């Protein structure tokens, strides 16, 4: 195991950004746009309601996609309910999109109508900073463009709207190929949960014989277990719930440790090479650092809303440990992850829901009542109205 990272091919040479204009209003859709049925929020407390969104006519580098499935991420809940910041409403969430190409622009050569494709958390970036040119668009130094809820400077400043809808139009550079070997619905969460856990494991070049610890067994955690096992690692799951022991082993975990049991944690001392921490609530990291071997690392993926207990510098110093963070993955690395999952039979454990179940699914996500990801079947969306809401 050697720290490093893959360097995917760069996106392309930078292209000029169009002059930013005000986003279109619901009463004036851009010329050539099409209307798509959607579900989204109109205020922090509206819940998810039927909406209609305008999708731009494909430009020369664009790919138009008929969406089949879209995963539900916990960040969608935070965004639509205004728990991180007050977004632009109406807001259609969804950044785990799988569907089929329906149209392509004149300059698009790598996709054709009928291809199965996906769109993850990003739909653009500056394409010219050092991070972008290295294939690390998620760390764009000028700010990337998220799949929903942000102004898109290359498209007149329109607010991006996500995948809880029947179609989307995305620049070819941010469209991913979904291998036919993957189940379409189960592949959707790979575009967020999959790449978020794959990227730090790949960065540390986890391989057969390495030992990986996974803290938390939710949407991210269960993917970390599956991917680490596919890489050949010995996997230990740390959980606060004895009720999850069986589920962890069913997913492939070699060992399960009750993290609130001091004796069990002591028994895991110096047994782990790299830890993937997926917990999004404040928790003490020091007991986990004690389980790491010399030159081990703990990657923080969960983002708690409140302050975490302090980390003891002595624990880091005495074993030359690294405490790091990681954010999704670049486009090249995400494609690498999809191909890896297809080759190793890795996909998310899902529950497919219809549009009428979205609000219930959000409440169940908050309660932790899902094994392990919800996915929306967009065939259950209503027909679009005659005018766009967003």
């Amino acid at each position: 195991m050697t720290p490093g990272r893959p360097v995917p091919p760069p996106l392309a040479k930078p292209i000029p950004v169009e002059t930013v204009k005000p986003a279109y209003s619901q009463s004036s859709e851009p010329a050539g746009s099409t209307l798509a049925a959607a579900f989204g929020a109109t205020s922090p407390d509206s819940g998810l309601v039927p909406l209609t969104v305008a999708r731009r006519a494909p430009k020369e580098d664009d790919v138009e996609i008929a969406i089949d499935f879209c995963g539900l991420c916990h960040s969608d809940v935070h965004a639509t309910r205004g728990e991180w910041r007050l977004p632009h409403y109406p807001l259609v969430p969804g950044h785990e999109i799988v569907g089929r190409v329906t149209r392509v622009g004149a300059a698009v050569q790598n996709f054709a109508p009928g291809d199965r494709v996906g769109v993850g958390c990003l739909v653009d970036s500056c394409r010219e900073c050092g991070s972008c040119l290295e294939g690390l668009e998620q760390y764009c130094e000028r700010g990337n463009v998220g799949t929903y809820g942000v102004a898109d400077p290359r498209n007149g400043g329109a607010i991006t709207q996500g995948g809880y809808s029947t179609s989307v139009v995305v620049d070819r550079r941010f469209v991913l190929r979904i291998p036919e070997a993957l189940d379409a619905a189960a592949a959707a969460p790979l575009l967020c949960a999959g790449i978020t856990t794959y990227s730090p494991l790949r960065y540390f070049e986890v391989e057969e014989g390495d030992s990986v610890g996974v803290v938390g067994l939710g949407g991210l955690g269960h993917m970390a277990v599956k991917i680490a096992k596919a890489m050949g690692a010995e996997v230990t799951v740390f959980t606060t719930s004895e009720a999850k022991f069986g589920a962890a082993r069913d997913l492939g975990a070699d060992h399960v440790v009750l993290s609130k049991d001091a004796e069990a944690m002591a028994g895991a001392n110096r047994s782990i090479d790299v830890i993937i921490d997926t917990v999004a609530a404040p928790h003490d990291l020091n007991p986990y650092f004690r389980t790491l071997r010399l030159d081990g690392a703990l990657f923080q993926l969960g983002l708690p809303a409140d302050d975490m207990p302090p980390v003891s510098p002595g624990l880091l110093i005495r074993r030359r440990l690294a405490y790091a963070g990681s954010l999704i993955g670049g486009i090249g690395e995400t494609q690498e992850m999809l191909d890896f999952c297809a080759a190793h039979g890795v996909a998310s454990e899902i529950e497919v829901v219809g549009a009428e179940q979205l609000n219930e699914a959000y409440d169940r996500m908050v309660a932790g009542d899902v094994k392990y990801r919800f996915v929306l079947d967009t065939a259950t969306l209503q027909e679009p109205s005659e005018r766009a809401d967003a």
Side-chain angles (χ1 to χ4, degrees):
M1 181 179 69
T2 305
R5 61 169 174 78
V7 182
L11 280 171
K13 292 182 179 179
I15 63 174
V17 177
E18 296 174 1
T19 302
V20 175
K21 301 175 183 177
Y24 56 78
S25 70
Q26 66 182 46
S27 61
S28 178
E29 291 85 45
S33 63
T34 58
L35 297 177
F39 253 65
T42 57
S43 71
D45 57 1
S46 69
L48 297 172
V49 298
L51 295 170
T52 295
V53 296
R55 298 301 192 186
R56 68 178 183 266
K59 300 188 298 184
E60 66 172 10
D61 282 316
D62 281 341
V63 176
E64 181 185 71
I65 303 164
I67 300 173
D68 294 319
F69 298 100
C70 185
L72 278 59
C73 179
H74 206 123
S75 61
D76 300 343
V77 180
H78 293 306
T80 56
R81 295 179 177 178
E83 293 171 351
W84 285 338
R85 60 176 176 82
L86 199 62
H88 296 273
Y89 291 107
L91 176 66
V92 176
H95 55 215
E96 300 175 352
I97 299 167
V98 173
R100 296 279 181 180
V101 175
T102 50
R103 286 191 292 172
V104 298
V108 178
Q109 298 181 345
N110 54 331
F111 296 106
D115 288 349
R116 180 192 280 177
V117 295
V119 178
C121 301
L122 306 175
V123 294
D124 208 349
S125 66
C126 83
R127 312 184 193 179
E128 58 185 10
C129 70
S131 294
C132 287
L133 294 176
E134 289 186 43
L136 299 170
E137 303 87 2
Q138 74 273 34
Y139 301 119
C140 177
E141 295 154 29
R142 299 180 185 177
N144 52 52
V145 179
T147 306
Y148 65 84
V150 297
D152 183 353
R154 251 179 270 269
N155 289 286
I159 302 301
T160 57
Q161 301 292 350
Y164 296 10
S165 59
T166 52
S167 70
V168 69
V169 177
V170 179
D171 187 285
R172 62 178 174 82
R173 298 167 183 84
F174 290 81
V175 177
L176 298 147
R177 192 171 297 279
I178 306 294
E180 293 289 345
L182 291 171
D183 175 80
L190 297 179
L191 296 163
C192 179
I195 184 57
T196 297
T197 50
Y198 179 90
S199 187
L201 292 169
R202 183 68 173 85
Y203 181 87
F204 251 71
E205 296 187 357
V206 168
E207 59 188 3
E208 187 172 358
D210 290 332
S211 179
V212 171
V214 178
V215 183
L217 197 64
L220 289 176
H222 95 286
M223 288 308 314
V225 172
K226 287 190 168 195
I227 291 171
K229 284 297 295 182
M231 290 177 169
E234 182 177 345
V235 176
T236 298
V237 169
F238 296 95
T239 176
T240 59
S241 172
E242 290 184 79
K244 291 189 176 182
F245 276 38
R249 293 193 177 99
D250 289 343
L251 290 166
D254 300 284
H255 313 285
V256 189
V257 176
L258 189 65
S259 56
K260 59 186 179 183
D261 183 337
E263 185 176 342
M265 290 295 288
N269 185 37
R270 295 181 185 267
S271 66
I272 308 293
D273 293 304
V274 59
I275 291 175
I276 303 298
D277 188 337
T278 69
V279 176
H283 55 291
D284 186 3
L285 295 175
N286 294 299
Y288 300 107
F289 283 120
R290 295 187 182 96
T291 71
L292 288 171
R293 295 169 176 158
L294 178 67
D295 288 331
L298 187 152
F299 276 94
Q300 188 74 47
L301 303 186
L303 184 61
D306 299 315
D307 291 340
M308 295 273 282
V311 169
S312 169
L315 290 174
L316 305 182
I317 291 169
R318 284 191 291 272
R319 299 186 193 176
R320 198 162 59 188
L321 303 181
Y323 177 35
S326 185
L327 176 67
I328 50 173
I331 300 305
E333 189 175 42
T334 304
Q335 187 64 63
E336 177 185 286
M337 177 274 305
L338 289 167
D339 295 339
F340 174 90
C341 288
H344 291 84
V346 173
S348 184
E349 302 290 318
I350 63 168
E351 180 178 337
V352 177
V353 297
E356 72 284 354
Q357 299 170 287
L358 283 171
N359 288 300
E360 177 189 355
Y362 269 30
D363 291 339
R364 287 179 57 192
M365 273 197 287
V366 172
D369 179 26
V370 55
K371 288 187 176 179
Y372 287 90
R373 299 285 286 202
F374 288 115
V375 174
L376 170 65
D377 179 356
T378 63
T380 63
L381 294 172
Q382 79 294 340
E383 292 296 317
S385 62
E386 296 181 355
R387 295 178 61 187
D389 302 295

